Amino acid sequence: MLRNNFSVLIAERQLKITRVAGDTGISRTTLTSLSSNSSKMVQLETVNKLCQYLKINPSDFFEYIPFDFEYYFDDSELSNDFNPFNGMQEQPPVYDATLLIYVTENGNRVDTIELQGYSEDEGSISPSSRMVGISLSPKDEKELVKLHKYTDKLSVAFISDIKQYIKKHISSGLDDSMYVDLLIDFDKTKYSSKIDNKN
């Protein structure tokens, strides 16, 4: 996986995208795309200008780890295991949710990490859209250890990007009128999360 550190670098220097665009001549659209790590491509000329402007090396601009994540999400079964709304008279349906993270190196799958939790319809947020709440964490201690084997190598910004990629992946499988409210915990298992919710 490869990400750029543009948003971190300008935040450290207390720079705004508008200022960087004005100073470098790079379009605001390009810089906004870089800032959100949503750009699939970046031109070498752009990287060169930004490295000169920020007085950094290309190795400071990029963060790289030698593996990729792919995702598969399923929330098909009504949950009998866990309902965070115990005690409420009218409970929305709660579904078991599973997210599989496939770890690949050089196009070959080397590991699979299972996150589990629940999803539920949180209701209308406008006449034409609904909110879906989803909570996920590693299934058990074994999955938590496997996940940390990879995430311990990542910066906080990289982990944040991964959570956004997961949200985008889950949202792409839903109806366009659904908005996802996603909570992912990479530091607790599903079991420890349930204990915390009961206390």
Side-chain angles (χ1 to χ4, degrees):
M1 282 188 280
L2 181 68
R3 75 177 300 276
N4 73 71
N5 289 316
F6 179 63
S7 62
V8 174
L9 292 164
I10 62 172
E12 288 172 349
R13 292 159 174 77
Q14 298 180 341
L15 294 168
K16 301 286 185 199
I17 287 176
T18 304
R19 165 104 188 258
V20 177
D23 290 348
T24 63
I26 300 169
S27 79
R28 193 167 167 20
T29 304
T30 298
L31 295 175
T32 301
S33 182
L34 282 173
S35 177
S36 65
N37 260 296
S38 60
S39 178
K40 298 279 186 200
M41 295 187 340
V42 57
Q43 294 183 1
L44 291 177
E45 182 181 338
T46 301
V47 175
N48 184 48
K49 279 185 184 179
L50 289 172
C51 286
Q52 290 175 356
Y53 179 73
L54 298 169
K55 297 179 176 48
I56 58 168
N57 292 318
S59 59
D60 300 320
F61 189 78
F62 292 105
E63 185 175 354
Y64 171 75
I65 46 174
F67 53 83
D68 290 307
F69 286 160
E70 296 173 5
Y71 311 102
Y72 172 77
F73 178 73
D74 181 44
D75 68 343
S76 58
E77 295 184 23
L78 200 59
S79 175
N80 295 317
D81 180 36
F82 173 54
N83 189 334
F85 300 98
N86 282 336
M88 291 176 60
Q89 287 187 342
E90 290 187 31
Q91 299 176 7
V94 176
Y95 296 88
D96 289 325
T98 301
L99 176 78
L100 298 178
I101 301 175
Y102 301 123
V103 184
T104 61
E105 291 179 10
N106 298 319
N108 299 313
R109 188 180 302 171
V110 295
D111 214 341
T112 302
I113 302 161
E114 185 173 350
L115 276 60
Q116 289 185 345
Y118 66 90
S119 69
E120 50 97 10
D121 185 342
E122 294 183 351
S124 294
I125 54 175
S126 76
S128 61
S129 64
R130 298 186 70 76
M131 174 94 64
V132 176
I134 299 172
S135 177
L136 296 164
S137 54
K139 173 176 86 167
D140 54 30
E141 196 65 34
K142 179 182 169 191
E143 298 300 311
L144 182 66
V145 169
K146 281 200 296 185
L147 178 64
H148 275 263
K149 182 170 87 172
Y150 300 101
T151 59
D152 286 351
K153 300 173 185 177
L154 306 178
S155 69
V156 171
F158 215 144
I159 290 172
S160 177
D161 284 351
I162 288 170
K163 290 179 179 181
Q164 287 302 313
Y165 296 148
I166 291 171
K167 181 176 181 178
K168 190 182 293 185
H169 173 78
I170 291 171
S171 297
S172 71
L174 297 175
D175 186 290
D176 289 342
S177 66
M178 298 288 199
Y179 175 80
V180 175
D181 180 19
L182 180 65
L183 173 65
I184 301 179
D185 195 333
F186 282 172
D187 296 317
K188 293 181 185 174
T189 66
K190 177 186 176 188
Y191 178 74
S192 59
S193 297
K194 284 197 290 185
I195 290 174
D196 291 348
N197 281 326
K198 288 181 181 178
N199 292 332

